[in-house]
Amino acid sequence: MSVEVLYFPVERLREFGTRVFEHFGVPPADAAQAADVLAAADLRGVDSHGVARLHSYFDLITLGRINPRPNVRILRELPATATVDGDNGLGLVVGPRANEVAMEKAEAVGSAWVSVSNSNHFGMAGYYPLRALERGLIGWAMTNSTKLVAPLWGAERMLGTNPIAIAFPAGEEPPVVIDFATSATAYGKIEIAQRKDAPIPPGWASARDGTPATRPEQMIDGGALLPLGSTREGGGHKGYCLAALVDILSCVLSGANWGPFAPPFALRQEVPARSVGRGIGHVFGALRIDGFIDPAEFRRQMDDWVRTFRATKPAPGTPGVVIPGDPERHAEAERRAAGIPLLPAVVADLRDISTRIGIPFE
């Protein structure tokens, strides 16, 4: 089923997002930062984490569930590590600040890890290692999120989609940017299917009773996403273990709420019965390449790696091997030229915000 989309310049969406955050008392620099994270997702084709999420932030800030002016601080640290308290601020602000700490420490001592508690949804995970690339570093970001995913052989939501993102710089070739959820799909794609009134592929989700879901409503109404791999035979145990890894490093290590106790990101999501920590948790890593190998040699080898994999013999009926980050890079080039395509339901959400707070959208 084809759904008509409307196109908007990314600058207009970034400006609107900035003004919305400022309306709630978010300091101008923080508001611009938060809007930039959303705009980056829209540019790179990660529509589930762009302005489509703005109404959720709007709702939670309106209800006082997110602190618009957090005192983000380091709770403890060593030369190469730190734990940051986000003071229940926007993850779109807390995440970039903690990522900055990781990069600064890595530049000083070679590598660094920073864990974060008391935060909220931090947007597209790939945003953070992309910032590391700008400084010639290898970057890493992970986060937990609201429970949406059943562990392998489970029939209820226990884990978040818990994404992992890593980026490696190259020389003449584009960087290798890895960004994926540890669930079979992102929840945002379920929402997109619902907006389009479209079915969902087998292996994405289960219904309330644990049977396979074929419609987005079956997952949304008490069902669950499946771990990456979906079934035991398909490698679902690996997706489950990756999600567990992210959960423990992001939350148990930082003092955030792990597993089913992560706070909700949308009003319709269930509030956990108890708390085992503070807010959502993230973890950021950064590596200085010259701590391991000559940077010029690393970039030369990365170029060779990219070219070698691009030259792989393609499987029949496929376009051939894609380098991690290629789809997002191509989407960004197209969308900078043509604008950001938004579904009518997303445009309606943005217009609703505009009407309610008196900030023009169009």
Side-chain angles (χ1 to χ4, degrees):
M1 178 179 179
S2 177
V3 177
E4 185 178 356
V5 297
L6 301 173
Y7 288 83
F8 295 84
V10 68
E11 294 81 8
R12 182 186 301 177
L13 298 180
R14 185 185 284 111
E15 179 188 8
F16 180 71
T18 300
R19 293 185 66 188
V20 170
F21 289 125
E22 286 181 339
H23 172 82
F24 289 101
V26 177
D30 287 352
Q33 172 64 84
D36 188 61
V37 179
L38 299 183
D42 282 321
L43 273 174
R44 292 180 67 80
V46 188
D47 297 324
S48 57
H49 287 63
V51 292
R53 283 273 177 247
L54 187 58
H55 210 294
S56 291
Y57 296 111
F58 172 86
D59 292 337
L60 294 175
I61 297 176
T62 298
L63 293 175
R65 295 188 188 177
I66 292 179
N67 180 4
R69 304 180 71 90
N71 176 26
V72 181
R73 60 196 178 96
I74 294 175
L75 295 179
R76 62 167 65 205
E77 66 178 321
L78 294 171
T81 62
T83 298
V84 169
D85 184 298
D87 195 23
N88 194 33
L90 282 162
L92 308 173
V93 172
V94 177
R97 290 195 196 178
N99 190 45
E100 182 74 18
V101 173
M103 293 187 293
E104 288 177 354
K105 283 182 172 290
E107 288 172 341
V109 299
S111 66
W113 290 97
V114 174
S115 67
V116 183
S117 67
N118 206 8
S119 185
N120 288 282
H121 191 276
F122 78 171
M124 176 183 70
Y127 180 86
Y128 301 95
L130 288 174
R131 303 289 76 77
L133 289 181
E134 295 170 356
R135 297 164 75 147
L137 301 167
I138 295 170
W140 189 310
M142 300 184 291
T143 185
N144 83 318
S145 57
T146 308
K147 65 174 184 178
L148 290 168
V149 183
L152 182 68
W153 295 335
E156 62 176 314
R157 304 176 182 185
M158 293 294 287
L159 289 160
T161 54
N162 293 13
I164 299 171
I166 311 170
F168 302 92
E172 296 176 358
E173 295 294 332
V176 173
V177 183
I178 298 166
D179 182 0
F180 64 96
T182 55
S183 53
T185 191
Y187 181 66
K189 292 184 178 180
I190 300 288
E191 292 179 313
I192 290 170
Q194 184 186 38
R195 292 182 185 123
K196 292 181 176 180
D197 191 26
I200 57 174
W204 271 20
S206 61
R208 181 187 294 270
D209 61 0
T211 58
T214 58
R215 298 287 307 176
E217 295 80 10
Q218 291 176 285
M219 182 271 153
I220 292 169
D221 184 24
L225 298 177
L226 297 178
L228 187 64
S230 304
T231 64
R232 180 67 172 81
E233 295 73 22
H237 57 293
K238 299 177 183 178
Y240 168 38
C241 289
L242 284 171
L245 175 154
V246 173
D247 209 45
I248 293 167
L249 284 177
S250 297
C251 303
V252 179
L253 190 63
S254 71
N257 286 290
W258 44 264
F261 307 110
F265 176 60
L267 296 184
R268 65 182 176 275
Q269 292 171 339
E270 178 186 356
V271 176
R274 67 186 176 101
S275 175
V276 294
R278 300 180 306 280
I280 292 289
H282 323 305
V283 65
F284 301 98
L287 302 173
R288 239 174 69 179
I289 293 168
D290 64 353
F292 301 88
I293 190 173
D294 177 73
E297 174 63 11
F298 178 83
R299 291 175 181 273
R300 187 189 71 77
Q301 289 285 4
M302 284 300 301
D303 283 348
D304 193 12
W305 190 97
V306 169
R307 291 163 185 160
T308 298
F309 275 82
R310 282 202 200 285
T312 303
K313 178 182 176 180
T318 74
V321 170
V322 174
I323 301 302
D326 273 357
E328 294 85 355
R329 187 169 52 83
H330 294 152
E332 182 168 354
E334 292 173 0
R335 291 179 175 205
R336 284 193 183 279
I340 307 297
L342 298 182
L343 291 169
V346 175
V347 176
D349 276 351
L350 299 179
R351 287 174 176 159
D352 178 63
I353 293 172
S354 172
T355 299
R356 288 166 64 179
I357 62 177
I359 293 176
F361 173 59
E362 295 176 303

